[in-house]
Amino acid sequence: MSSNDEGNSSVIIGTAGVLSNIVVDYSLYVLKTTGSGLPAGPFGIEGALEGISYLAIIGIVGWSALTKAKTGSGLPAGKFGLVGAAEGLSYLSILAGIVVAGLNLSEFGYISN
């Protein structure tokens, strides 16, 4: 793969990761303020986007952890630093998810969906 192809793929992966974090963080905000997740939306698009975004974040953190275990460092920053930004935001989103789950557990007595 040429360096230009690698640069383009890092822009796509990084942009998708950053956008996924925005969706997940909005979902966590809605979950904390209303006690339930995002609605399915028309044709289930909003719910599908939410689910895919959560999976993308889990994938980025898994990729990061595997890379860290193999090389001793995290993911490369990528073009414009987008992959690095997506990596950092993904860890923060997972932390925010744990915090929201704990807050909802203490407030409602259960972890809502």
Side-chain angles (χ1 to χ4, degrees):
M1 188 185 283
S2 72
S3 64
N4 190 33
D5 289 341
E6 289 175 12
N8 290 339
S9 63
S10 74
V11 168
I12 293 168
I13 291 168
T15 302
V18 169
L19 292 175
S20 293
N21 275 283
I22 292 169
V23 171
V24 166
D25 291 345
Y26 176 67
S27 169
L28 291 172
Y29 169 76
V30 170
L31 179 61
K32 176 60 190 113
T33 56
T34 67
S36 63
L38 296 176
F43 306 108
I45 293 172
E46 196 173 332
L49 182 61
E50 177 186 26
I52 291 167
S53 295
Y54 274 100
L55 291 174
I57 287 175
I58 291 168
I60 290 169
V61 168
W63 179 28
S64 170
L66 185 61
T67 301
K68 181 77 166 176
K70 285 183 175 181
T71 66
S73 62
L75 298 176
K79 195 171 185 180
F80 307 120
L82 287 170
V83 175
E87 177 185 22
L89 290 171
S90 295
Y91 279 104
L92 290 173
S93 291
I94 287 180
L95 178 62
I98 293 168
V99 169
V100 168
L103 291 171
N104 280 355
L105 184 61
S106 68
E107 186 175 337
F108 301 115
Y110 61 92
I111 298 175
S112 49
N113 57 1

